[in-house]
């Protein structure tokens, strides 16, 4: 498999997008079918969940099975609205049950999740520590999910500071980065002022940290009309990720056939 990359290490940067992030499973399926090697993975929010599970050795077929059973009740509970409306402590427990109580550094494939310091706005790349807690932190949407105190900081969703963590993949050693953007803005005119606000917020999140502009290849699944909260559409989401990736395979093959650049 690694002969395809002609010596280039390949990193996969999986963006945030709540339920839309299930499209990442289709991306992984298409890359595996095409024998594209994945040497490291970084993820934000849902991208961190899928990425950590994959790096822990969970097969794509099993990820699809997990997606079919995804429910909000499995990962969150209501909390006293001091710093958020929901708690993702239940998500942390679910991740431990799924991949084990492991340190990020012990995953089979190098992995890191991105988080944001809600007090300073700084981006943090979390490449060591308990995988379940780190993924939970990366998923904690500010204002909705309570942030997590970790190493003296109050951390929340990485999508605030870097929604497609391609630079983090380069920090892990990737020479060629495939970025996956599932947060494509859509203007919903039928919603009036709310539609304008939603499109603006989506644009801000999509471009946080530069978006996928620093990726060598960007995969953008066709998710127009897809909800951010409905896990029941997992088949459509996975298919969209698979289809968008298949369309980019010739480009990836061509890029990886070129000799690696020397610094």
């Amino acid at each position: 498999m690694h002969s395809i990359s002609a010596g280039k290490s390949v990193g996969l940067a999986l963006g945030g997008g709540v339920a839309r992030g299930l499209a990442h499973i289709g991306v992984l399926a298409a890359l595996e079918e095409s024998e594209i090697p994945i040497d490291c993975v970084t993820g934000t929010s849902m991208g961190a969940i899928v990425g950590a599970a994959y790096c822990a050795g969970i097969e794509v077929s099993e990820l699809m099975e997990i997606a079919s059973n995804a429910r909000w009740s499995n990962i969150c509970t209501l909390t006293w609205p001091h710093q958020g409306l929901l708690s993702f402590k239940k998500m942390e427990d679910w991740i431990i049950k799924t991949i084990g109580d492991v340190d990020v550094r012990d995953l089979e494939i190098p992995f890191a999740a991105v988080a944001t310091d809600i007090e300073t706005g700084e981006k943090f790349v979390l490449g060591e520590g308990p995988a379940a807690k780190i993924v939970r932190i990366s998923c904690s949407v500010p204002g909705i999910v309570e942030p997590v105190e970790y190493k003296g900081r109050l951390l929340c969703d990485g999508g605030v500071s870097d929604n497609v963590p391609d630079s983090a993949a380069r920090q892990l050693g990737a020479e060629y980065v495939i970025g996956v953007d599932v947060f494509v803005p859509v203007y919903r005119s039928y919603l009036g002022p709310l539609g304008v606000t939603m499109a603006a917020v989506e644009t801000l999140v999509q471009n946080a940290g530069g978006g996928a502009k620093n990726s060598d290849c960007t995969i953008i699944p066709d998710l127009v009309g897809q909800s951010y909260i409905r896990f029941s559409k997992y088949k459509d989401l996975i298919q969209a990720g698979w289809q968008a990736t298949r369309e980019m395979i010739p480009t990836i093959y061509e890029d990886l056939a070129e000799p690696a650049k020397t610094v």
Side-chain angles (χ1 to χ4, degrees), residues 166-210:
D166 42 23
S167 60
R170 295 194 194 282
Q171 289 180 35
L172 288 183
E175 297 169 291
Y176 183 85
V177 178
I178 301 170
V180 186
D181 184 0
V182 296
F183 216 101
V184 182
V186 177
Y187 172 46
R188 304 164 182 82
S189 59
Y190 59 89
L191 293 177
L194 179 59
V196 175
T197 301
M198 289 178 63
V201 170
E202 287 177 324
T203 299
L204 288 170
V205 173
Q206 183 189 40
N207 290 287

Side-chain angles (χ1 to χ4, degrees), residues 203-223:
T203 299
L204 288 170
V205 173
Q206 183 189 40
N207 290 287
K213 294 182 177 63
N214 295 315
S215 299
D216 296 292
C217 170
T218 303
I219 296 171
I220 305 177
D222 181 5
L223 300 174

Side-chain angles (χ1 to χ4, degrees), residues 20 23 181-182 184 186 219-226 236-237 239-245 247:
R20 285 185 174 192
D181 184 0
V182 296
V184 182
V186 177
I219 296 171
I220 305 177
D222 181 5
L223 300 174
V224 174
Q226 292 289 351
D236 294 339
L237 295 165
Q239 176 62 28
W242 181 87
Q243 182 62 42
T245 305
E247 292 172 3

Side-chain angles (χ1 to χ4, degrees), residues 1 20-21 30 35 40 54 60 75 84 98 138 157 181 185 191-192 227 240:
M1 288 174 61
R20 285 185 174 192
E35 297 188 324
C40 64
Y54 183 75
V60 170
I75 61 173
T98 303
S138 188
D157 197 308
D181 184 0
L191 293 177
S227 168

Side-chain angles (χ1 to χ4, degrees), residues 72 77 79 83-88 139-147:
W72 285 108
T77 54
T79 187
Q83 294 178 314
L85 302 175
L86 302 173
S87 168
F88 272 173
C139 293
S140 298
V141 181
I144 299 176
V145 182
E146 60 181 6

